[in-house]
Amino acid sequence: MDGPARTTRGTAVPARARPYTGAAQVNPEKLRFPGPGPGSGPGTGPGPGSAAAELAELMARVAQGDQDAFSALYDAVAGTVFGIAVKVVRDRAQSEEVAQEVMIDVWRQAARYRPEQGSVMAWVATIAHRRAVDRVRSAQASATREHDVGVRGQERPFDEVSEQVETRLERDQVKRCLRRLTELQRQAVTLAYYQGLTYREVAETLQTPLPTIKTRMRDGLIRLRDCMGVTT
């Protein structure tokens, strides 16, 4: 092997070219985006045509897994990629992340580049713009979810209070209606429905014959139902 191997996330990358497998990774130390600097990349050659041809040649080598070619390609396009990301995302930290994702995409998808369909710079710019738009949409969706959760969190106490008020009103109405029953009816209904006693246990507790309790309970429940406006 020629020279030491570079590593990224535990994956060894030879210092020189090797056949492209589609699974190699780029050294993240290379992915830094301070913005375009003077005199960097193929753009400093004799002219635009020469620069485009050089980028196409670099891309062909990158498609074969050439790390050195990728380093040169990075120097040529990273500033433009970062500029596109900043323009769309409008956040430097997120733009740096987008730019890193774009450069990894360029490495992994280099074999898909077709010179007859446009220049390398246009191809890379398209990937950068798509990645940046995806990041904005993702951020917007996340913000919407957080807003919805916040709204539900604000509404929940109101729902709980409403339920408590409704329950309290129903309880007060039951108390008022119970007061309209006779003493024996009120006692029988209270023992049966609030303390869970059976008719026989109610009769024994009130020391009243069971048939009488059943009659009083039936009449009391009818009056209670009418008082509360319950329909069957």
Side-chain angles (χ1 to χ4, degrees):
M1 179 178 293
D2 296 325
R6 304 189 212 179
T7 60
T8 172
R9 299 181 183 175
T11 302
V13 180
R16 293 191 178 183
R18 67 176 183 180
Y20 178 66
T21 63
Q25 296 187 15
V26 178
N27 189 340
E29 293 302 319
K30 185 63 179 172
L31 299 177
R32 296 292 180 266
F33 302 92
S40 63
T44 58
S50 175
E54 185 175 348
L55 286 178
E57 180 182 350
L58 288 174
M59 183 63 72
R61 291 167 54 193
V62 171
Q64 296 300 316
D66 189 331
Q67 288 277 313
D68 293 332
F70 176 79
S71 295
L73 182 67
Y74 160 82
D75 291 336
V77 304
T80 298
V81 168
F82 181 70
I84 293 173
V86 169
K87 184 176 181 180
V88 176
V89 179
R90 299 185 180 278
D91 178 87
R92 182 177 181 85
Q94 290 197 52
S95 296
E96 289 176 351
E97 293 178 4
V98 169
Q100 178 170 323
E101 293 171 358
V102 171
M103 296 309 298
I104 293 175
D105 283 347
V106 169
W107 169 260
R108 292 176 174 172
Q109 301 178 27
R112 299 181 182 178
Y113 170 68
R114 296 292 180 268
E116 63 273 14
Q117 296 180 358
S119 68
V120 170
M121 189 63 75
W123 183 72
V124 172
T126 300
I127 296 176
H129 186 267
R130 182 175 65 248
R131 275 283 187 179
V133 170
D134 288 345
R135 176 60 65 98
V136 171
R137 289 174 177 171
S138 177
Q140 290 175 342
S142 178
T144 299
R145 287 194 298 270
E146 291 178 0
H147 176 267
D148 292 343
V149 170
V151 169
R152 288 195 295 270
Q154 293 175 357
E155 290 177 348
R156 190 173 297 111
F158 175 79
D159 293 340
E160 292 176 356
V161 170
S162 299
E163 184 176 348
Q164 292 174 1
V165 170
E166 184 177 352
T167 301
R168 185 176 302 170
L169 291 174
E170 291 178 353
R171 188 184 303 119
D172 292 342
Q173 184 180 12
V174 170
K175 289 180 179 179
R176 287 195 301 271
C177 292
L178 282 173
R179 285 197 291 267
R180 297 186 181 185
L181 304 181
T182 66
E183 183 65 21
L184 183 58
Q185 288 174 337
R186 183 166 58 252
Q187 289 178 342
V189 170
T190 300
L191 290 172
Y193 288 92
Y194 287 91
Q195 297 186 24
L197 300 184
T198 65
Y199 281 14
R200 186 173 299 279
E201 290 172 336
V202 171
E204 293 174 353
T205 300
L206 298 178
Q207 298 181 349
T208 303
L210 181 58
T212 301
I213 290 298
K214 289 183 178 180
T215 301
R216 296 296 183 271
M217 285 278 291
R218 185 189 67 242
D219 295 343
L221 290 175
I222 291 174
R223 294 182 62 180
L224 193 62
R225 181 197 64 191
D226 293 343
C227 175
M228 296 184 65
V230 177
T231 59
T232 59

